[in-house]
Amino acid sequence: MKLDDLFEQEAKAAKSRKSDAVYTAAKARYASLGVDTDAAIKLALSLPISVHCWQGDDVHGLEAPREEAVDAGGVMATGNYPGAARNGDELRADFEVAAGLIPGKLRFALHGMYMETGGKKVERDEIAPEHFTRWVDWAKAKGWALDFNPSCFAHPMVTDGLTLSSNKKAVREFWIRHCLASREVSRYMASKLGNCVCNLWISDGRKDSTADRMGPRARLVEALDVVYAKKLPKVVDVLESKLFGIALEDYTVGSSEFYLLYAQSRGLGICFDLGHFHPTESIADKISSTYLFVKDILLHCSRPIRWDSDHVTRFDDSLRAVADEAQRSGCMQKVWWSTDFFDASINRIAAWVIGTRAVRKAILWALLEPWKYAVDAEYGGDGAAKLAIEEMRAILPFGAVWDQACREADVPGGLGFMAEVHRYEREVTLKRT
Ligand code: RNT
Ligand code: ZN
C-alpha cells in the first residue's frame, strides 16, 4: 500500500469507529485498577497547551525589512524542507491546519519579533500592542489565549554576546526597553484574552575561559529589577535558564541557580526547558523541588538529542516523567504546558502536530496512573509491589484511550492526521517559493 493510501485508510477508520469495543475493554481494564478513563480524557483535553509559533518559520520572525534578519547566535533551526511560512497570514493559516489535528485546548505563543508593522521598520524597543492586534483578533476568534516572549537574540544589538547583562549601558538599556515593551504587549494580550505568560530567555554568555562571571550576573539582576519593577494584571512572568548555547559553551549568565533564586526572591515564575540541563539530569524532579517555592512553572517541552537540539517533542521517557511528576505533585492543572522545538528538516505542520500530540499524550498518560496503589505500596514498605505496579503501566491499553480522546476531540486518531498534512502540503505549502 502507498503511504498516502495508508493515511487515508487510517483517517477513515478513525472516523467510522464511533463507539469502540476496544475502548470499552480498555476502560474496564483501567477501572479494575481504580482509574476512571472518561474523567482522565475529559481533564486531559481541557488543559491548555501553548504551542510556539516559531516552528512554523524556523524562528525567522516577521520584522521588516525581512532580509535584515541577523543570526547572532543563541538558537538555530537546521534543515531546508520547503514551504516555511513567509508572513503572518501564512503562519496563521498553517497553524490553523495543525490546530485542527491536535486534540484538546490550545494557546499560542509568540515572540517579540513576530510583530506586524505593515512593512514599516519598528525597532524592538518600540514594539507596542498595535503591532500585535492582528494576532490578538485572530486568537480571539479561535478561542485561544496568547503567550509572549521578548526576543533578545538574532539582532545587531546583541553585543559581544550580551544583552541585558552587557557592560555597555546603551546595550543594556535597549534590551531593558525591549523587555518592558514586551511586558506591555503581554498586558494587552492578557486584557483581551484572559491572561498571558511572558517568558524571558536571553542568550547572554561566553565561548571560552570566562574571566568575569560575576559582573554580567550582577548587571542582569539590576536590569531584571527594572524590567519587573511593576506587577502587571493577569501577566504571568517567568524566566528561562539554560546550560549552554552554541558559541556560548563556557558560560551562561542566566543559569539555573541564578534564575531559580532570582524568581523565588522576586515572586516570579520559572521556565524549565527539557533541553536546558545536563543530559542525565531529571527535569521531572524539579517540579516538586521548586513548586514549593515558586508560584508558576512554565514547561518548554522540547527534545534534546546529545545537546539542546530542539527536536520535535516525542512521547518518550523524559516527557512522560515530567507529566507523571506534575500529576503526582498535584500541579498538573497549575503548571503551564507549552512546546519549544524547531525542526526545519521536516514538514513543519506535521512537526507542530506530532510534538503537541505527544505532550497531550503524556498528560493523558499521567492521568491514567494507578498512583494511589503505588503510594500505598511505598508507604507500606513494599518496594517490590510498587515496582510491579509501575512496570505494568507500560502494557496497559493506553492506545485505545488515546484514540478515544482523539474521537472526543474530533481529530483523527492513529495516523489519519498525516492525510490532511499531505493534502495541505500539496495544495499550499509546496507552492510557496
Ligand atoms: C532557547 C530557549 C528559548 C527559545 C525560544 C525561541 O534555548 O529554549 O525558549 O527556544 O524562545
Ligand atoms: Zn525554551
Side-chain angles (χ1 to χ4, degrees):
M1 195 190 293
K2 285 215 196 81
L3 258 185
D4 272 325
D5 295 337
L6 172 70
F7 297 150
E8 288 296 347
Q9 175 186 296
E10 287 266 316
K12 271 195 208 115
K15 251 188 223 144
S16 66
R17 264 180 274 150
K18 270 286 171 249
S19 94
D20 191 350
V22 179
Y23 176 63
T24 309
K27 181 175 161 166
R29 178 71 185 105
Y30 277 99
S32 72
L33 298 162
V35 175
D36 179 346
T37 51
D38 287 340
I41 290 173
K42 195 162 170 240
L43 179 55
L45 293 177
S46 75
L47 299 180
I49 301 173
S50 181
V51 184
H52 60 305
C53 73
W54 50 94
Q55 167 60 60
D57 74 337
D58 314 331
V59 209
H60 201 294
L62 303 175
E63 280 168 305
R66 191 164 162 86
E67 53 283 359
E68 252 185 39
V70 185
D71 178 18
V75 284
M76 187 167 62
T78 55
N80 51 11
Y81 197 85
R86 297 164 299 181
N87 54 53
D89 289 332
E90 289 182 354
L91 195 52
R92 282 184 284 270
D94 289 1
F95 184 67
E96 285 178 23
V97 174
L101 302 171
I102 300 166
K105 197 168 170 189
L106 300 178
R107 304 169 65 96
F108 196 62
L110 289 168
H111 243 285
M113 60 195 203
Y114 289 81
M115 61 177 90
E116 289 182 288
T117 61
K120 194 174 125 235
K121 174 145 184 77
V122 170
E123 257 312 335
R124 289 208 190 159
D125 60 343
E126 292 165 349
I127 59 165
E130 69 200 71
H131 308 125
F132 294 88
T133 50
R134 297 195 62 201
W135 285 113
V136 167
D137 293 346
W138 170 74
K140 191 158 190 103
K142 295 284 164 194
W144 301 324
L146 291 176
D147 296 316
F148 202 67
N149 299 258
S151 304
C152 303
F153 57 90
H155 191 276
M157 279 299 269
V158 180
T159 310
D160 308 323
L162 303 179
T163 64
L164 289 175
S165 73
S166 172
N167 55 325
K168 298 184 174 66
K169 193 158 176 266
V171 172
R172 233 166 36 238
E173 285 179 348
F174 174 85
W175 292 110
I176 288 175
R177 286 195 303 276
H178 172 61
C179 290
L180 284 168
S182 294
R183 289 186 72 232
E184 282 305 321
V185 172
S186 303
R187 188 225 292 257
Y188 158 67
M189 290 175 171
S191 76
K192 295 286 179 197
L193 304 165
N195 53 24
C196 176
V197 179
C198 183
N199 173 47
L200 175 64
W201 166 76
I202 61 173
S203 62
D204 295 33
R206 301 238 186 252
K207 184 180 172 82
D208 199 4
S209 307
T210 307
D212 178 20
R213 302 180 91 90
M214 181 61 100
R217 287 184 171 138
R219 288 190 294 271
L220 182 54
V221 170
E222 263 182 49
L224 294 175
D225 279 346
V226 179
V227 170
Y228 296 109
K230 210 164 75 188
K231 281 264 167 267
L232 300 180
K234 299 186 209 150
V235 175
V236 176
D237 289 298
V238 300
L239 297 141
E240 179 178 7
S241 68
K242 186 159 167 164
L243 184 59
F244 78 97
I246 291 273
L248 307 162
E249 288 83 358
D250 182 62
Y251 172 63
T252 294
V253 183
S255 63
S256 176
E257 292 81 355
F258 177 94
Y259 279 136
L260 263 182
L261 290 168
Y262 184 80
Q264 198 280 330
S265 61
R266 304 306 197 266
L268 304 170
I270 197 86
C271 167
F272 294 126
D273 183 298
L274 269 62
H276 287 194
F277 297 87
H278 288 279
T280 62
E281 196 172 344
S282 164
I283 289 100
D285 186 54
K286 296 179 190 305
I287 294 175
S288 56
S289 306
T290 58
Y291 196 68
L292 295 166
F293 304 99
V294 297
K295 179 163 121 272
D296 287 291
I297 297 178
L298 172 70
L299 294 165
H300 263 190
C301 297
S302 192
R303 182 167 53 103
I305 296 190
R306 304 190 193 285
W307 70 291
D308 180 27
S309 57
D310 288 293
H311 279 71
V312 176
T313 308
R314 291 190 57 189
F315 181 58
D316 61 8
D317 286 349
S318 73
L319 183 63
R320 283 199 295 267
V322 166
D324 276 352
E325 274 308 310
Q327 171 62 10
R328 294 165 179 172
S329 302
C331 45
M332 175 61 92
Q333 299 174 68
K334 296 179 196 146
V335 294
W336 298 89
W337 291 98
S338 72
T339 50
D340 180 13
F341 46 79
F342 26 98
D343 189 338
S345 77
I346 59 175
N347 180 298
R348 293 167 184 82
I349 291 156
W352 260 327
V353 176
I354 292 166
T356 311
R357 282 171 73 115
V359 177
R360 185 73 70 200
K361 264 180 228 160
I363 291 172
L364 180 62
W365 168 265
L367 294 174
L368 293 171
E369 181 183 20
W371 186 64
K372 205 192 144 299
Y373 289 115
V375 172
D376 287 351
E378 184 161 279
Y379 282 98
D382 194 346
K386 184 176 63 181
L387 189 59
I389 292 167
E390 285 307 310
E391 184 58 21
M392 180 201 54
R393 273 180 91 191
I395 53 155
L396 288 174
F398 174 73
V401 184
W402 168 252
D403 280 346
Q404 176 67 15
C406 289
R407 267 197 299 276
E408 286 183 21
D410 205 19
V411 306
L415 286 170
F417 67 88
M418 284 303 293
E420 173 63 3
V421 166
H422 279 179
R423 180 201 65 77
Y424 188 71
E425 175 167 90
R426 273 191 312 272
E427 292 173 10
V428 180
T429 56
L430 283 186
K431 296 201 168 132
R432 293 175 188 159
T433 43

